[in-house]
């Protein structure tokens, strides 16, 4: 018997993640002070970089888009009790699907090639998660171990393909040729220009709306559909799932496929929205940030939107900051991200005991 | 007034907003067997945990042998001569009895010395209390009754003068329980004090000297056992008049619903869990399966509900063979659609998802039914309306559709499950331990409801370790022992003794 926490729901949903976030920022500030910079000034620069001017906001939302997809991927698996750490590899492989479609078919009109590329992202990302899912369901191989290993396999496979097979002829860079414009997902500033809105030129593209749709669909499926019901039952109580006649192994495999497909959609944002070609290592840790996004967002779409926005702002604000302050390198930003993951994920309940004690005192005094 | 071994004065304990123990004041006389009874959630376990040092009281005084003490850990409690025998034994199966007893009280650098000393000490204890336990037996190979005696020996070895036993007869046959009571009487004669936590009134009447009755965290009665009747105690526990007698009309069995013949189940290691089980079940009758838990009843329910495949044999349900039935979906889902509903034995781990709301649990297993869907989404309104009907009809309290079911009491959880399974209008209802962990008020309700189902012409298969329940509800009783049927008899002819013998495997 454990003592029930004395905390109102709003406090555990909002106050705790915020406290964790502030703790992470505080420690980051200490380190920044240690290397001789002014933490308050740095924070101001970062916020300004992320939200202070139109281009900044565009970039922030562009990064947010990818984080929403990889965050949803982790959350989907989580609801079935699975910890999918393979978002990075699944996104990478989805990128391969997108690339193959674009290299072959980018002479076709946009309304054919873009849906085709999206389908390829879903199929390739899903398939890369299918194997660990199958191994978990049928062979009991732990999903954490297999998905991690699949990240490495994906990385090696893609290196080989990009160096030996897909590299643009006559180039030394491990990257494909640029895709034809037909395959580019329209930029937001292009979309809004005819309507008379002048948006800055940023990689923010229509995938952002796709991400928002995915958030809404995620909510409906998980909490308002039999499929989500079955998934959550498997995640919360496998024995009850068997009692209820739910095919647990099929659910595990299916959910992993959905999870991989969601991670795969992040590749659309990156490849067809921004770079318009496949580069080696284009995933750049986005799959891993998805874990933090899901943890901090409590696997709920609203939380995921907010935490994806936070990490998007950190990425963009951090880049701006490192331009302004040479002492603050890209590694420093990754360090801050790491601290946020540490405080929000691993040390999630750090403040629970003192906080619930505080609430208890408050209730007594009333 | 005799000297008090334990005395509590004004003890309070809160868990958050729950006031688990309210101003508890009572004493346990030295050298007596003291019963503590109360419904689930009445605060018995919390109270014992305070005495045994698991929890600290928020306020109040605890006196051991007349001296006020602060018991900060179970270690401290043992030091004060208090021992506890838990409902779930805390034994290491591959160890011998002797090793288990020394465990935690080894002393010294090497084991040999303490083992030899323990052996001598143990033999004396064995003799003094008539425990008859072989110190060199492997604990895992001993019967449940003997394992319990090892637990008792363990506490005595650590010098306990006060023994707390938590629901000790839950896992015993009636004969084994008698044996336990014989030992408890011996302990009393030797001057030990025994605190017996139970919900079985028969046992309280049988063995205790004093009874303390708890309800909703408070003590509502402290009496000498000799001065009261079973009915008095039941009324005190529930706080109102309880009709303990079930009015049962004679069964009118109809056509055969279930025909089991030659059913076998062998697990992966080659152990036979079900051996040649054969019986029939008709519409409008309740067949009870009695037996000490772990003798194949659970496996039988699992096979009949489709959660597990039989190795061989036949199960005919309404003329359809189930064992060889090929289904695309899991069998549990297929059987449910054929008209077999199942109230699982392990309610909290199988029958529901604790973190789900009431309304979500109200459709578990029926979540694919067209009546709860609208396209690819749920028809949330229909589900909540259905849940609301369940709550009204079965008097679920608190009457909330949006509350995690894990927060309800056992009885109210069971009502939701029962309502859900009955709603499907099944021909066959498999019921495992319908009233385990359920308070008396709800037991009465659940029993009446099951009788009503029988009278409506349903076939009910009831598995329970509570003999009283089996005898009260069943029309026929099948006894299982070691995975096989050891006897079958009409309920009218069954007595605790005749059933007990069959449960022990004597034909």
């Amino acid at each position: 018997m454990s003592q029930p926490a004395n905390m109102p729901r709003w406090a555990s949903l909002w106050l705790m993640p915020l406290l964790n976030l502030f703790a992470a920022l505080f420690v980051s500030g200490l380190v920044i002070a240690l290397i001789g910079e002014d933490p308050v000034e740095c924070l101001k620069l970062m916020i300004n970089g992320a939200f202070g001017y139109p281009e900044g906001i565009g970039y922030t939302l562009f990064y947010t888009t990818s984080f929403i997809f990889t965050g949803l991927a982790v959350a989907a698996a989580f609801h079935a009790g699975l910890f999918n750490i393979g978002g990075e590899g699944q996104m990478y492989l989805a990128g391969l699907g997108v690339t193959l479609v674009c290299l072959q078919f980018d002479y076709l009109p946009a309304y054919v090639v873009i849906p085709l590329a999206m389908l390829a992202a879903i199929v390739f990302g899903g398939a890369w998660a299918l194997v660990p899912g199958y191994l978990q369901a049928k062979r009991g191989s732990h999903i954490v171990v297999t998905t991690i290993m699949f990240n490495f396999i994906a990385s090696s496979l893609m290196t080989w393909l990009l160096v030996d097979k897909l590299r643009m002829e006559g180039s030394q860079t491990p990257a494909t040729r640029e895709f034809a414009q037909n395959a580019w997902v329209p930029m937001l500033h292009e979309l809004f220009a005819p309507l008379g809105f002048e948006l800055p030129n940023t990689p923010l593209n229509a995938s952002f709306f796709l991400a928002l749709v995915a958030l809404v669909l995620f909510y409906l499926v998980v909490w308002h559909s039999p499929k989500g019901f079955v998934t959550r039952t498997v995640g919360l109580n496998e024995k009850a799932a068997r009692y209820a006649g739910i095919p647990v192994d099929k659910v595990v495999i299916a959910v992993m496929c959905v999870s991989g497909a969601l991670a795969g959609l992040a590749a659309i944002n990156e490849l067809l929205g921004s770079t318009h070609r496949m580069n080696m290592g284009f995933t750049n840790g986005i799959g891993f940030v998805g874990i933090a996004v899901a943890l901090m967002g409590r696997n709920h779409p609203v939380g995921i939107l907010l935490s994806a926005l936070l990490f998007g702002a950190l990425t963009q604000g951090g880049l701006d900051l490192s331009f302004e302050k040479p002492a603050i390198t890209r590694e420093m930003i990754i360090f801050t991200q790491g601290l946020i993951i540490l405080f929000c994920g691993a040390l999630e309940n750090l403040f629970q005991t003192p906080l619930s004690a505080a609430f208890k005192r408050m209730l007594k005094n009333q | 007034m005799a000297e008090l071994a334990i005395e509590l004065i004004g003890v309070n304990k809160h868990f958050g907003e729950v006031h688990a123990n309210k101003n508890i004041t009572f004493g346990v006389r030295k050298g007596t067997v003291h019963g503590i009874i109360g419904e689930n959630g009445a605060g018995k376990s919390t109270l014992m945990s305070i005495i045994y040092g698991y929890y600290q009281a928020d306020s109040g005084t605890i006196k051991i042998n007349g001296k006020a003490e602060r018991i900060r850990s179970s270690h401290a409690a043992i030091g004060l001569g208090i021992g506890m025998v838990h409902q779930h034994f805390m034994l290491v199966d591959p160890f011998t009895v002797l090793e288990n007893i020394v465990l935690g009280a080894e002393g010294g650098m090497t084991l040999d010395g303490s083992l030899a000393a323990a052996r001598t000490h143990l033999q004396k204890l064995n003799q003094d209390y008539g425990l008859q336990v072989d110190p060199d037996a492997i604990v895992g190979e001993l019967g449940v009754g003997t394992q319990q005696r090892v637990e008792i020996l363990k506490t005595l070895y650590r010098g306990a003068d006060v023994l707390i036993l938590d629901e000790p007869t839950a896992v015993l046959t009636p004969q084994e329980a008698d044996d336990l009571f014989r030992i408890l009487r011996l302990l009393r004669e030797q001057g030990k004090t025994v605190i017996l936590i139970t919900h079985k009134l028969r046992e309280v009447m049988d063995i205790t000297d004093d009874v303390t009755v708890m309800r909703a965290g408070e003590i509502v009665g402290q009496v000498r056992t000799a001065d009261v009747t079973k009915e008095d105690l039941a009324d005190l526990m529930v706080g109102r008049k309880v009709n303990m007698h079930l009015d049962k009309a004679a069964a009118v069995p109809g056509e055969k619903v279930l025909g089991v013949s030659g059913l076998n189940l062998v697990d992966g290691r080659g152990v036979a869990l079900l051996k040649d089980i054969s019986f029939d079940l008709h519409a409008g009758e309740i067949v009870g399966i009695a037996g000490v838990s772990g003798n194949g009843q659970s496996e039988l329910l699992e096979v009949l509900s489709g959660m597990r495949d039989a190795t061989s044999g036949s199960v005919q349900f309404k003329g359809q063979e189930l064992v060889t039935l090929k289904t695309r979906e899991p069998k549990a889902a297929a059987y449910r659609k054929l008209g077999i509903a199942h109230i699982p034995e392990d309610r909290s781990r199988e029958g529901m998802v604790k973190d789900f709301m009431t309304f979500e649990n109200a459709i578990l297993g029926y979540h694919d039914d067209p009546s709860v869907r609208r396209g690819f989404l749920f028809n949330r309104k229909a589900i909540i309306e259905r849940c609301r009907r369940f709550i009204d009809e079965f008097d679920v309290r608190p009457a909330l559709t949006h509350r995690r079911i894990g927060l309800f009491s056992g009885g109210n959880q069971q009502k939701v499950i029962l309502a859900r399974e009955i709603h499907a209008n099944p021909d066959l209802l498999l019921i495992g331990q319908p009233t385990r962990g359920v308070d008396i008020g709800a037991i009465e309700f659940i029993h009446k409801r099951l009788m009503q189902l029988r009278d409506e012409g349903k076939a009910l298969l009831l598995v329970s370790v509570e003999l009283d329940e089996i005898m009260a509800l069943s029309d026929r009783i099948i006894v299982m022992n070691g995975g096989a049927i050891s006897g079958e008899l009409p309920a009218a002819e069954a007595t605790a003794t005749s059933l007990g013998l069959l449960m022990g495997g004597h034909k």
Side-chain angles (χ1 to χ4, degrees), chain A residues 1 6 223-226 229 232-233 236-237 240 243-245, chain B residues 16 55 336 342 349-350 352 356 360 376 378 380 420-421:
Chain A
M1 214 189 287
N6 296 295
W223 283 280
H224 287 270
S225 85
F229 183 88
R232 287 183 298 129
T233 306
L236 289 169
N237 186 342
Y243 158 79
Chain B
Y55 298 143
R336 201 169 266 127
H342 178 202
R349 255 176 283 174
E350 277 184 3
M352 60 187 208
F356 274 7
E360 290 174 302
F376 109 108
F378 273 136
R380 193 77 168 247
R420 176 183 77 205
E421 298 305 316

mmCIF file of all heavy atoms in Angstrom, chain A residues 1 6 223-226 229 232-233 236-237 240 243-245, chain B residues 16 55 336 342 349-350 352 356 360 376 378 380 420-421:
data_model
loop_
_atom_site.group_PDB
_atom_site.id
_atom_site.type_symbol
_atom_site.label_atom_id
_atom_site.label_comp_id
_atom_site.label_asym_id
_atom_site.label_seq_id
_atom_site.Cartn_x
_atom_site.Cartn_y
_atom_site.Cartn_z
ATOM 1 N N MET A 1 0.850 -1.204 0.000
ATOM 2 C CA MET A 1 0.000 0.000 0.000
ATOM 3 C C MET A 1 0.881 1.248 0.000
ATOM 4 O O MET A 1 1.716 1.417 0.877
ATOM 5 C CB MET A 1 -0.867 -0.007 1.257
ATOM 6 C CG MET A 1 -2.226 0.607 1.025
ATOM 7 S SD MET A 1 -3.103 0.828 2.579
ATOM 8 C CE MET A 1 -3.527 -0.856 2.986
ATOM 9 N N ASN A 6 -1.211 13.631 -2.597
ATOM 10 C CA ASN A 6 -2.233 14.614 -2.231
ATOM 11 C C ASN A 6 -2.222 15.766 -3.195
ATOM 12 O O ASN A 6 -2.081 16.901 -2.788
ATOM 13 C CB ASN A 6 -1.938 15.166 -0.846
ATOM 14 C CG ASN A 6 -2.038 14.097 0.167
ATOM 15 O OD1 ASN A 6 -3.108 13.564 0.392
ATOM 16 N ND2 ASN A 6 -0.916 13.743 0.769
ATOM 17 N N TRP A 223 -8.561 7.803 -27.349
ATOM 18 C CA TRP A 223 -9.558 7.886 -26.278
ATOM 19 C C TRP A 223 -11.007 7.697 -26.717
ATOM 20 O O TRP A 223 -11.889 7.599 -25.887
ATOM 21 C CB TRP A 223 -9.408 9.198 -25.503
ATOM 22 C CG TRP A 223 -8.256 9.131 -24.558
ATOM 23 C CD1 TRP A 223 -8.240 8.538 -23.328
ATOM 24 C CD2 TRP A 223 -6.939 9.649 -24.755
ATOM 25 N NE1 TRP A 223 -6.994 8.647 -22.753
ATOM 26 C CE2 TRP A 223 -6.171 9.326 -23.608
ATOM 27 C CE3 TRP A 223 -6.325 10.342 -25.804
ATOM 28 C CZ2 TRP A 223 -4.833 9.683 -23.473
ATOM 29 C CZ3 TRP A 223 -4.988 10.692 -25.668
ATOM 30 C CH2 TRP A 223 -4.268 10.364 -24.510
ATOM 31 N N HIS A 224 -11.238 7.689 -28.010
ATOM 32 C CA HIS A 224 -12.634 7.607 -28.446
ATOM 33 C C HIS A 224 -12.910 6.513 -29.463
ATOM 34 O O HIS A 224 -13.937 6.546 -30.115
ATOM 35 C CB HIS A 224 -13.080 8.963 -29.024
ATOM 36 C CG HIS A 224 -13.271 10.005 -27.964
ATOM 37 N ND1 HIS A 224 -14.469 10.196 -27.324
ATOM 38 C CD2 HIS A 224 -12.400 10.873 -27.411
ATOM 39 C CE1 HIS A 224 -14.330 11.165 -26.427
ATOM 40 N NE2 HIS A 224 -13.086 11.589 -26.456
ATOM 41 N N SER A 225 -12.007 5.560 -29.593
ATOM 42 C CA SER A 225 -12.284 4.496 -30.565
ATOM 43 C C SER A 225 -11.949 3.137 -29.960
ATOM 44 O O SER A 225 -11.123 3.033 -29.054
ATOM 45 C CB SER A 225 -11.458 4.710 -31.835
ATOM 46 O OG SER A 225 -10.173 4.150 -31.672
ATOM 47 N N PRO A 226 -12.594 2.095 -30.450
ATOM 48 C CA PRO A 226 -12.287 0.745 -29.976
ATOM 49 C C PRO A 226 -10.811 0.397 -30.159
ATOM 50 O O PRO A 226 -10.229 -0.274 -29.305
ATOM 51 C CB PRO A 226 -13.169 -0.151 -30.843
ATOM 52 C CG PRO A 226 -14.298 0.716 -31.259
ATOM 53 C CD PRO A 226 -13.719 2.088 -31.415
ATOM 54 N N PHE A 229 -8.973 1.894 -27.348
ATOM 55 C CA PHE A 229 -9.390 1.199 -26.121
ATOM 56 C C PHE A 229 -8.594 -0.087 -25.957
ATOM 57 O O PHE A 229 -8.041 -0.378 -24.894
ATOM 58 C CB PHE A 229 -10.887 0.888 -26.225
ATOM 59 C CG PHE A 229 -11.476 0.229 -25.010
ATOM 60 C CD1 PHE A 229 -11.965 0.982 -23.962
ATOM 61 C CD2 PHE A 229 -11.560 -1.153 -24.933
ATOM 62 C CE1 PHE A 229 -12.521 0.373 -22.845
ATOM 63 C CE2 PHE A 229 -12.104 -1.766 -23.820
ATOM 64 C CZ PHE A 229 -12.592 -0.996 -22.782
ATOM 65 N N ARG A 232 -4.917 0.691 -25.165
ATOM 66 C CA ARG A 232 -4.677 1.083 -23.766
ATOM 67 C C ARG A 232 -4.883 -0.087 -22.823
ATOM 68 O O ARG A 232 -4.202 -0.197 -21.804
ATOM 69 C CB ARG A 232 -5.587 2.259 -23.391
ATOM 70 C CG ARG A 232 -5.134 3.569 -24.033
ATOM 71 C CD ARG A 232 -5.991 4.743 -23.608
ATOM 72 N NE ARG A 232 -7.368 4.573 -24.026
ATOM 73 C CZ ARG A 232 -8.407 4.698 -23.204
ATOM 74 N NH1 ARG A 232 -8.215 5.032 -21.944
ATOM 75 N NH2 ARG A 232 -9.627 4.519 -23.654
ATOM 76 N N THR A 233 -5.839 -0.966 -23.149
ATOM 77 C CA THR A 233 -6.033 -2.139 -22.309
ATOM 78 C C THR A 233 -4.772 -2.991 -22.303
ATOM 79 O O THR A 233 -4.305 -3.426 -21.244
ATOM 80 C CB THR A 233 -7.230 -2.974 -22.808
ATOM 81 O OG1 THR A 233 -8.368 -2.135 -22.891
ATOM 82 C CG2 THR A 233 -7.528 -4.120 -21.864
ATOM 83 N N LEU A 236 -2.104 -1.215 -20.202
ATOM 84 C CA LEU A 236 -2.305 -1.062 -18.762
ATOM 85 C C LEU A 236 -2.442 -2.403 -18.051
ATOM 86 O O LEU A 236 -2.091 -2.531 -16.884
ATOM 87 C CB LEU A 236 -3.563 -0.223 -18.489
ATOM 88 C CG LEU A 236 -3.439 1.264 -18.829
ATOM 89 C CD1 LEU A 236 -4.788 1.935 -18.777
ATOM 90 C CD2 LEU A 236 -2.478 1.938 -17.872
ATOM 91 N N ASN A 237 -2.994 -3.394 -18.734
ATOM 92 C CA ASN A 237 -3.227 -4.660 -18.058
ATOM 93 C C ASN A 237 -3.370 -5.774 -19.087
ATOM 94 O O ASN A 237 -4.446 -6.022 -19.607
ATOM 95 C CB ASN A 237 -4.500 -4.570 -17.201
ATOM 96 C CG ASN A 237 -4.714 -5.799 -16.355
ATOM 97 O OD1 ASN A 237 -4.136 -6.845 -16.610
ATOM 98 N ND2 ASN A 237 -5.551 -5.678 -15.349
ATOM 99 N N ALA A 240 -5.915 -8.543 -18.338
ATOM 100 C CA ALA A 240 -7.295 -8.148 -18.600
ATOM 101 C C ALA A 240 -7.558 -8.146 -20.100
ATOM 102 O O ALA A 240 -8.655 -8.480 -20.546
ATOM 103 C CB ALA A 240 -7.574 -6.772 -18.005
ATOM 104 N N TYR A 243 -8.239 -11.609 -21.045
ATOM 105 C CA TYR A 243 -9.578 -11.942 -20.555
ATOM 106 C C TYR A 243 -10.637 -11.365 -21.489
ATOM 107 O O TYR A 243 -11.640 -12.003 -21.795
ATOM 108 C CB TYR A 243 -9.755 -11.380 -19.140
ATOM 109 C CG TYR A 243 -11.194 -11.195 -18.727
ATOM 110 C CD1 TYR A 243 -11.958 -12.272 -18.302
ATOM 111 C CD2 TYR A 243 -11.793 -9.940 -18.795
ATOM 112 C CE1 TYR A 243 -13.282 -12.109 -17.945
ATOM 113 C CE2 TYR A 243 -13.110 -9.764 -18.448
ATOM 114 C CZ TYR A 243 -13.852 -10.852 -18.023
ATOM 115 O OH TYR A 243 -15.170 -10.683 -17.677
ATOM 116 N N ALA A 244 -10.403 -10.160 -21.983
ATOM 117 C CA ALA A 244 -11.384 -9.491 -22.829
ATOM 118 C C ALA A 244 -11.362 -10.012 -24.261
ATOM 119 O O ALA A 244 -12.118 -9.543 -25.097
ATOM 120 C CB ALA A 244 -11.130 -7.982 -22.818
ATOM 121 N N GLY A 245 -10.492 -10.984 -24.534
ATOM 122 C CA GLY A 245 -10.458 -11.543 -25.882
ATOM 123 C C GLY A 245 -9.724 -10.667 -26.880
ATOM 124 O O GLY A 245 -9.977 -10.730 -28.076
ATOM 125 N N GLY B 16 -3.995 10.688 3.048
ATOM 126 C CA GLY B 16 -4.611 11.768 2.285
ATOM 127 C C GLY B 16 -5.904 12.170 2.960
ATOM 128 O O GLY B 16 -5.928 12.463 4.152
ATOM 129 N N TYR B 55 3.360 1.199 9.473
ATOM 130 C CA TYR B 55 2.927 2.596 9.435
ATOM 131 C C TYR B 55 3.108 3.199 10.820
ATOM 132 O O TYR B 55 3.064 2.486 11.815
ATOM 133 C CB TYR B 55 1.439 2.720 9.078
ATOM 134 C CG TYR B 55 1.044 2.201 7.732
ATOM 135 C CD1 TYR B 55 -0.175 1.552 7.564
ATOM 136 C CD2 TYR B 55 1.866 2.372 6.627
ATOM 137 C CE1 TYR B 55 -0.554 1.069 6.324
ATOM 138 C CE2 TYR B 55 1.490 1.900 5.385
ATOM 139 C CZ TYR B 55 0.282 1.247 5.238
ATOM 140 O OH TYR B 55 -0.100 0.782 4.027
ATOM 141 N N ARG B 336 -17.338 -15.557 -25.900
ATOM 142 C CA ARG B 336 -18.216 -14.530 -25.373
ATOM 143 C C ARG B 336 -19.375 -14.292 -26.345
ATOM 144 O O ARG B 336 -20.514 -14.152 -25.927
ATOM 145 C CB ARG B 336 -17.403 -13.252 -25.158
ATOM 146 C CG ARG B 336 -18.031 -12.292 -24.193
ATOM 147 C CD ARG B 336 -17.071 -11.194 -23.821
ATOM 148 N NE ARG B 336 -16.350 -11.506 -22.600
ATOM 149 C CZ ARG B 336 -15.032 -11.479 -22.488
ATOM 150 N NH1 ARG B 336 -14.291 -11.168 -23.510
ATOM 151 N NH2 ARG B 336 -14.456 -11.778 -21.345
ATOM 152 N N HIS B 342 -18.042 -14.451 -18.290
ATOM 153 C CA HIS B 342 -17.029 -14.915 -17.345
ATOM 154 C C HIS B 342 -16.716 -13.816 -16.339
ATOM 155 O O HIS B 342 -16.333 -12.716 -16.719
ATOM 156 C CB HIS B 342 -15.774 -15.309 -18.148
ATOM 157 C CG HIS B 342 -14.638 -15.762 -17.292
ATOM 158 N ND1 HIS B 342 -13.335 -15.737 -17.730
ATOM 159 C CD2 HIS B 342 -14.589 -16.258 -16.038
ATOM 160 C CE1 HIS B 342 -12.541 -16.193 -16.776
ATOM 161 N NE2 HIS B 342 -13.270 -16.509 -15.734
ATOM 162 N N ARG B 349 -6.948 -8.057 -11.360
ATOM 163 C CA ARG B 349 -5.900 -8.195 -12.362
ATOM 164 C C ARG B 349 -6.418 -8.671 -13.710
ATOM 165 O O ARG B 349 -5.767 -8.513 -14.715
ATOM 166 C CB ARG B 349 -4.806 -9.135 -11.856
ATOM 167 C CG ARG B 349 -3.573 -8.354 -11.451
ATOM 168 C CD ARG B 349 -2.523 -9.245 -10.865
ATOM 169 N NE ARG B 349 -2.863 -9.609 -9.494
ATOM 170 C CZ ARG B 349 -2.172 -10.487 -8.777
ATOM 171 N NH1 ARG B 349 -1.171 -11.125 -9.296
ATOM 172 N NH2 ARG B 349 -2.518 -10.732 -7.538
ATOM 173 N N GLU B 350 -7.591 -9.311 -13.716
ATOM 174 C CA GLU B 350 -8.089 -9.832 -14.989
ATOM 175 C C GLU B 350 -9.389 -9.172 -15.435
ATOM 176 O O GLU B 350 -9.590 -8.896 -16.599
ATOM 177 C CB GLU B 350 -8.327 -11.340 -14.869
ATOM 178 C CG GLU B 350 -7.076 -12.147 -15.079
ATOM 179 C CD GLU B 350 -7.358 -13.623 -15.040
ATOM 180 O OE1 GLU B 350 -8.526 -14.043 -14.912
ATOM 181 O OE2 GLU B 350 -6.391 -14.383 -15.126
ATOM 182 N N MET B 352 -10.752 -6.314 -14.899
ATOM 183 C CA MET B 352 -10.912 -4.891 -15.134
ATOM 184 C C MET B 352 -9.539 -4.252 -15.325
ATOM 185 O O MET B 352 -8.516 -4.859 -15.063
ATOM 186 C CB MET B 352 -11.601 -4.248 -13.937
ATOM 187 C CG MET B 352 -10.808 -4.438 -12.661
ATOM 188 S SD MET B 352 -11.709 -3.855 -11.245
ATOM 189 C CE MET B 352 -10.335 -3.411 -10.206
ATOM 190 N N PHE B 356 -8.697 2.468 -15.797
ATOM 191 C CA PHE B 356 -9.801 2.886 -16.646
ATOM 192 C C PHE B 356 -10.943 3.430 -15.788
ATOM 193 O O PHE B 356 -11.120 3.020 -14.644
ATOM 194 C CB PHE B 356 -10.331 1.707 -17.461
ATOM 195 C CG PHE B 356 -9.596 1.462 -18.743
ATOM 196 C CD1 PHE B 356 -8.436 2.153 -19.068
ATOM 197 C CD2 PHE B 356 -10.072 0.528 -19.652
ATOM 198 C CE1 PHE B 356 -7.768 1.913 -20.258
ATOM 199 C CE2 PHE B 356 -9.410 0.281 -20.841
ATOM 200 C CZ PHE B 356 -8.259 0.970 -21.147
ATOM 201 N N GLU B 360 -15.463 2.856 -18.980
ATOM 202 C CA GLU B 360 -14.607 2.082 -19.869
ATOM 203 C C GLU B 360 -14.604 0.612 -19.448
ATOM 204 O O GLU B 360 -14.644 -0.288 -20.280
ATOM 205 C CB GLU B 360 -13.188 2.649 -19.854
ATOM 206 C CG GLU B 360 -13.093 4.009 -20.528
ATOM 207 C CD GLU B 360 -11.717 4.643 -20.390
ATOM 208 O OE1 GLU B 360 -11.253 4.837 -19.244
ATOM 209 O OE2 GLU B 360 -11.106 4.944 -21.413
ATOM 210 N N PHE B 376 -15.993 4.367 -36.891
ATOM 211 C CA PHE B 376 -14.750 3.863 -36.326
ATOM 212 C C PHE B 376 -14.527 4.375 -34.894
ATOM 213 O O PHE B 376 -13.617 3.968 -34.209
ATOM 214 C CB PHE B 376 -13.588 4.174 -37.290
ATOM 215 C CG PHE B 376 -12.626 5.232 -36.845
ATOM 216 C CD1 PHE B 376 -11.339 4.884 -36.441
ATOM 217 C CD2 PHE B 376 -12.996 6.567 -36.837
ATOM 218 C CE1 PHE B 376 -10.446 5.863 -36.033
ATOM 219 C CE2 PHE B 376 -12.100 7.536 -36.438
ATOM 220 C CZ PHE B 376 -10.821 7.183 -36.034
ATOM 221 N N PHE B 378 -16.145 5.328 -30.873
ATOM 222 C CA PHE B 378 -17.110 4.852 -29.884
ATOM 223 C C PHE B 378 -18.349 5.730 -29.903
ATOM 224 O O PHE B 378 -18.278 6.925 -30.203
ATOM 225 C CB PHE B 378 -16.522 4.951 -28.476
ATOM 226 C CG PHE B 378 -15.718 3.762 -28.063
ATOM 227 C CD1 PHE B 378 -14.505 3.930 -27.412
ATOM 228 C CD2 PHE B 378 -16.191 2.478 -28.279
ATOM 229 C CE1 PHE B 378 -13.761 2.827 -27.000
ATOM 230 C CE2 PHE B 378 -15.454 1.377 -27.866
ATOM 231 C CZ PHE B 378 -14.237 1.558 -27.233
ATOM 232 N N ARG B 380 -19.892 7.288 -27.416
ATOM 233 C CA ARG B 380 -19.588 7.586 -26.024
ATOM 234 C C ARG B 380 -20.869 7.720 -25.200
ATOM 235 O O ARG B 380 -20.939 7.279 -24.062
ATOM 236 C CB ARG B 380 -18.770 8.887 -25.984
ATOM 237 C CG ARG B 380 -18.098 9.229 -24.676
ATOM 238 C CD ARG B 380 -16.851 8.405 -24.467
ATOM 239 N NE ARG B 380 -16.038 8.890 -23.357
ATOM 240 C CZ ARG B 380 -14.829 9.436 -23.511
ATOM 241 N NH1 ARG B 380 -14.313 9.592 -24.683
ATOM 242 N NH2 ARG B 380 -14.138 9.814 -22.456
ATOM 243 N N ARG B 420 -21.823 -5.921 -16.103
ATOM 244 C CA ARG B 420 -21.334 -5.998 -17.477
ATOM 245 C C ARG B 420 -21.579 -7.387 -18.072
ATOM 246 O O ARG B 420 -22.066 -7.523 -19.184
ATOM 247 C CB ARG B 420 -19.841 -5.694 -17.476
ATOM 248 C CG ARG B 420 -19.160 -5.826 -18.811
ATOM 249 C CD ARG B 420 -17.671 -5.572 -18.666
ATOM 250 N NE ARG B 420 -17.001 -6.724 -18.081
ATOM 251 C CZ ARG B 420 -15.854 -6.635 -17.411
ATOM 252 N NH1 ARG B 420 -15.267 -5.481 -17.214
ATOM 253 N NH2 ARG B 420 -15.281 -7.721 -16.930
ATOM 254 N N GLU B 421 -21.258 -8.412 -17.304
ATOM 255 C CA GLU B 421 -21.370 -9.768 -17.832
ATOM 256 C C GLU B 421 -22.833 -10.192 -17.975
ATOM 257 O O GLU B 421 -23.191 -10.925 -18.875
ATOM 258 C CB GLU B 421 -20.594 -10.755 -16.953
ATOM 259 C CG GLU B 421 -19.093 -10.468 -16.902
ATOM 260 C CD GLU B 421 -18.448 -10.406 -18.283
ATOM 261 O OE1 GLU B 421 -18.760 -11.270 -19.125
ATOM 262 O OE2 GLU B 421 -17.647 -9.478 -18.531
#
